[in-house]
Structure formats: C-alpha cells, structure tokens
Coordinates of all heavy atoms in Angstrom, one line a residue:
L1 N -16.4 8.2 18.5 CA -15.0 8.3 18.1 C -14.8 7.6 16.7 O -15.1 6.5 16.5 CB -14.2 7.6 19.2 CG -12.7 7.8 19.1 CD1 -12.4 9.3 19.2 CD2 -12.0 7.1 20.2
Q2 N -14.3 8.4 15.8 CA -14.1 7.9 14.4 C -12.7 8.2 13.9 O -12.0 9.1 14.4 CB -15.1 8.7 13.5 CG -16.5 8.4 13.8 CD -17.4 9.1 12.8 OE1 -17.1 10.2 12.3 NE2 -18.5 8.4 12.4
V3 N -12.3 7.3 13.0 CA -10.9 7.5 12.4 C -11.1 8.4 11.2 O -12.2 8.6 10.7 CB -10.4 6.1 11.9 CG1 -10.2 5.2 13.1 CG2 -11.2 5.5 10.9
P4 N -10.0 9.1 10.8 CA -10.1 10.0 9.6 C -10.5 9.2 8.4 O -10.2 8.1 8.2 CB -8.6 10.5 9.5 CG -8.0 10.3 10.8 CD -8.7 9.1 11.4
R5 N -11.3 9.9 7.5 CA -11.7 9.2 6.3 C -10.8 9.5 5.1 O -10.4 8.6 4.4 CB -13.1 9.8 5.9 CG -14.3 9.2 6.7 CD -15.6 9.5 6.0 NE -15.7 8.7 4.7 CZ -16.6 8.9 3.8 NH1 -17.6 9.8 4.0 NH2 -16.7 8.2 2.7
E6 N -10.3 10.8 5.0 CA -9.5 11.1 3.9 C -8.0 10.9 4.2 O -7.4 11.3 5.2 CB -9.7 12.6 3.6 CG -11.1 13.0 3.3 CD -11.7 12.1 2.1 OE1 -11.0 11.8 1.2 OE2 -12.9 11.7 2.2
H7 N -7.3 10.3 3.2 CA -5.9 9.9 3.3 C -5.2 10.2 1.9 O -5.2 9.4 1.1 CB -5.7 8.4 3.6 CG -6.3 8.1 5.0 ND1 -7.6 7.9 5.2 CD2 -5.6 7.8 6.2 CE1 -7.8 7.6 6.5 NE2 -6.6 7.5 7.1
P8 N -4.6 11.4 1.8 CA -3.9 11.7 0.6 C -2.6 10.8 0.5 O -2.0 10.5 1.6 CB -3.5 13.2 0.7 CG -3.7 13.5 2.1 CD -4.7 12.5 2.7
F9 N -2.2 10.5 -0.7 CA -0.9 9.7 -0.9 C 0.3 10.6 -1.1 O 0.2 11.7 -1.7 CB -1.1 8.8 -2.2 CG -1.9 7.6 -2.0 CD1 -2.8 7.4 -0.9 CD2 -1.7 6.5 -2.8 CE1 -3.5 6.3 -0.8 CE2 -2.4 5.3 -2.7 CZ -3.3 5.2 -1.7
T10 N 1.4 10.2 -0.5 CA 2.7 10.8 -0.8 C 3.4 9.9 -1.7 O 3.8 8.8 -1.2 CB 3.5 11.1 0.5 OG1 2.7 11.9 1.4 CG2 4.8 11.7 0.2
M11 N 3.6 10.3 -2.9 CA 4.2 9.4 -3.9 C 5.7 9.4 -3.8 O 6.4 10.4 -3.5 CB 3.8 9.8 -5.3 CG 2.3 9.9 -5.5 SD 1.4 8.3 -5.2 CE 2.2 7.3 -6.5
H12 N 6.3 8.2 -4.1 CA 7.8 8.0 -4.1 C 8.1 7.2 -5.4 O 7.3 6.4 -5.9 CB 8.3 7.2 -2.9 CG 7.9 7.8 -1.6 ND1 8.6 9.0 -1.1 CD2 7.0 7.5 -0.7 CE1 8.1 9.3 0.1 NE2 7.1 8.4 0.4
T13 N 9.3 7.5 -5.9 CA 9.8 6.7 -7.0 C 10.3 5.3 -6.6 O 10.6 5.1 -5.4 CB 11.0 7.4 -7.7 OG1 12.0 7.5 -6.8 CG2 10.5 8.8 -8.2
V14 N 10.3 4.4 -7.5 CA 10.7 3.0 -7.2 C 12.3 3.1 -7.0 O 12.8 2.2 -6.3 CB 10.3 2.1 -8.3 CG1 10.9 0.7 -8.0 CG2 8.8 2.0 -8.4
G15 N 12.9 4.1 -7.6 CA 14.3 4.3 -7.4 C 15.2 3.2 -8.0 O 16.3 2.9 -7.4
G16 N 14.9 2.7 -9.1 CA 15.7 1.7 -9.8 C 15.7 0.3 -9.1 O 16.4 -0.6 -9.6
Q17 N 14.9 0.2 -8.1 CA 14.8 -1.1 -7.5 C 13.8 -2.0 -8.2 O 12.8 -1.5 -8.8 CB 14.3 -1.0 -6.0 CG 15.3 -0.3 -5.1 CD 14.7 -0.1 -3.7 OE1 13.7 0.6 -3.5 NE2 15.3 -0.7 -2.7
T18 N 14.0 -3.3 -8.1 CA 13.1 -4.3 -8.7 C 12.4 -5.0 -7.6 O 13.0 -5.7 -6.8 CB 13.9 -5.3 -9.6 OG1 14.6 -4.6 -10.6 CG2 12.9 -6.3 -10.2
M19 N 11.1 -4.7 -7.5 CA 10.3 -5.2 -6.4 C 9.0 -5.9 -7.0 O 8.5 -5.5 -8.0 CB 9.8 -4.2 -5.4 CG 11.0 -3.6 -4.6 SD 10.5 -2.3 -3.4 CE 10.1 -1.0 -4.5
A20 N 8.6 -6.9 -6.3 CA 7.4 -7.7 -6.8 C 6.5 -8.0 -5.6 O 6.9 -8.1 -4.5 CB 7.9 -9.0 -7.5
V21 N 5.2 -8.3 -6.0 CA 4.3 -8.7 -4.9 C 3.8 -10.2 -5.2 O 3.4 -10.5 -6.3 CB 3.0 -7.8 -5.0 CG1 2.0 -8.3 -4.0 CG2 3.4 -6.4 -4.6
F22 N 4.0 -11.0 -4.1 CA 3.6 -12.4 -4.2 C 2.4 -12.7 -3.3 O 2.1 -12.0 -2.4 CB 4.7 -13.3 -3.8 CG 5.9 -13.3 -4.7 CD1 6.9 -12.3 -4.5 CD2 6.1 -14.2 -5.8 CE1 8.0 -12.2 -5.4 CE2 7.2 -14.1 -6.6 CZ 8.2 -13.1 -6.4
S23 N 1.6 -13.7 -3.7 CA 0.5 -14.1 -2.8 C 0.6 -15.6 -2.6 O 1.2 -16.3 -3.4 CB -0.8 -13.8 -3.5 OG -1.0 -14.5 -4.7
Q24 N 0.0 -16.1 -1.6 CA 0.0 -17.5 -1.3 C -1.4 -18.0 -1.0 O -2.1 -17.5 -0.2 CB 0.9 -17.8 -0.1 CG 1.1 -19.3 0.2 CD 2.2 -19.6 1.3 OE1 2.6 -18.6 2.0 NE2 2.6 -20.8 1.4
S25 N -1.9 -19.0 -1.7 CA -3.2 -19.5 -1.6 C -3.4 -20.5 -0.4 O -2.4 -20.8 0.2 CB -3.6 -20.2 -2.9 OG -2.9 -21.4 -3.1
D26 N -4.6 -20.9 -0.2 CA -4.8 -21.9 0.9 C -4.1 -23.2 0.6 O -3.9 -24.0 1.5 CB -6.3 -22.1 1.0 CG -7.1 -20.9 1.5 OD1 -6.4 -20.0 2.1 OD2 -8.3 -20.8 1.2
T27 N -3.8 -23.5 -0.7 CA -3.2 -24.7 -1.0 C -1.6 -24.5 -1.1 O -0.9 -25.4 -1.7 CB -3.7 -25.3 -2.4 OG1 -3.5 -24.3 -3.4 CG2 -5.2 -25.6 -2.3

C-alpha cells in the first residue's frame, strides 16, 4: 500500500493580503 507520488500544484493569488512566515527556535 503506497501513497501517491505526484502532486500537481493549484496556484492562487495572494489577493492583496499581507502574509508572513515566522519560525521559533529551541531558545
């Protein structure tokens, strides 16, 4: 039993939104 390998992307616009990605370290 295997999961699918291929995964095409469906692209979307940001739509005028301001979004950011943050990370948090061990400290």
